Amino acid sequence: CVDCSKANPKWAALLTVPSAQGGIEGPYNETFYIGCFCCIECSGAHRRLGTHISFVRSIDLDTLKENEINALEYGGNCL
């Protein structure tokens, strides 16, 4: 778990990061995700942040989209 360091987390938390590349033409509508793995207890804390900041998926029960998988592969718990 990224938050409490428990082994074998079964939940994926994806944090929403809006594009900071606004400017004269206006902000882009891109959204980026930072992915991490967390345990069931810590997934509740991520759920309470709200879906506009973080959303949680089960790695066993839910189907992840390609961009969510990429966020977990490139972010993951390596930070």
Side-chain angles (χ1 to χ4, degrees):
C1 175
V2 71
D3 295 324
C4 71
S5 300
K6 286 185 183 175
N8 302 318
K10 298 290 183 184
W11 296 85
L14 294 139
L15 302 170
T16 305
V17 181
S19 174
Q21 304 213 2
I24 297 171
E25 293 84 24
Y28 297 104
N29 290 328
E30 292 183 278
T31 301
F32 300 98
Y33 298 106
I34 299 172
C36 62
F37 294 99
C38 56
C39 66
I40 185 71
E41 290 84 8
C42 295
S43 71
H46 286 269
R47 286 186 191 274
R48 284 190 294 276
L49 292 173
T51 55
H52 64 290
I53 296 173
S54 175
F55 58 96
V56 178
R57 299 281 186 260
S58 168
I59 58 173
D60 293 327
L61 302 174
D62 293 321
T63 302
L64 298 173
K65 298 175 188 169
E66 185 177 347
N67 63 336
E68 296 169 350
I69 293 170
N70 290 338
L72 292 166
E73 284 180 352
Y74 296 113
N77 290 10
C78 64
L79 300 175

